[in-house]
Amino acid sequence: MSIETPSKTSGTLHIQRKGPDGQRREITLEEWKTAVAGHEGLRLSDGDAQQVNPLTHAVITMPNRGGDAEVWREDCQDWLRVFWWSPLGYVSFPAPDPAQRVEQIRLDLARSLALHLDAKIYDDEGREAD
């Protein structure tokens, strides 16, 4: 699977480490914070993420477990929460739309973070996406 053409069934990608046996190896919160701090245009988020359900208009809150990270969006001059660290030891982010250049820039950042963490990018089904 090419990362430029993510699986239609996979709306989320994950930065993960896997051992030689294929078992996931944890990315600790401290490792993640260090990786975030080493990248310009990326910072840890404050507070929980909130989004409005477009169908019901209900506000959905997603708790920040200390490792949510935001990317600076030059085009709209604002920070956008993109990465979610999980206590299970991986980082998730939305699969990019290949037609959107700004999303490809975000993908390059995810690749750089994965490299820094000695990890790779996988889709929801556990297939390597890079």
Side-chain angles (χ1 to χ4, degrees):
M1 175 177 134
S2 167
I3 202 155
E4 281 75 33
T5 55
S7 163
K8 290 183 177 19
T9 61
S10 181
T12 306
L13 295 174
H14 312 279
I15 299 171
Q16 298 178 354
R17 276 193 209 124
K18 291 189 179 180
D21 60 357
Q23 293 296 315
R24 187 169 48 219
R25 292 183 10 240
E26 178 183 21
I27 297 171
T28 68
L29 181 56
E30 290 311 310
E31 288 175 305
W32 173 242
K33 286 180 176 182
T34 299
V36 169
H39 286 78
E40 189 175 329
L42 182 64
R43 71 177 186 188
L44 292 173
S45 305
D46 289 325
D48 296 336
Q50 292 188 331
Q51 197 164 22
V52 177
N53 180 318
L55 299 175
T56 66
H57 303 289
V59 176
I60 301 167
T61 301
M62 294 165 282
N64 181 349
R65 294 177 177 93
D68 289 3
E70 301 171 319
V71 174
W72 176 251
R73 288 275 308 260
E74 190 66 39
D75 59 330
C76 61
Q77 295 290 298
D78 202 1
W79 291 93
L80 176 67
R81 194 175 308 221
V82 173
F83 297 101
W84 291 269
W85 175 84
S86 167
L88 297 176
Y90 60 90
V91 178
S92 298
F93 63 100
D97 177 348
Q100 299 293 320
R101 177 166 162 54
V102 72
E103 291 187 23
Q104 291 304 306
I105 292 168
R106 183 178 71 218
L107 179 59
D108 290 342
L109 178 58
R111 286 178 174 143
S112 178
L113 288 161
L115 183 64
H116 180 96
L117 293 162
D118 191 29
K120 294 187 178 180
I121 298 173
Y122 296 89
D123 67 13
D124 285 336
E125 290 79 35
R127 294 179 301 234
E128 190 174 331
D130 193 24

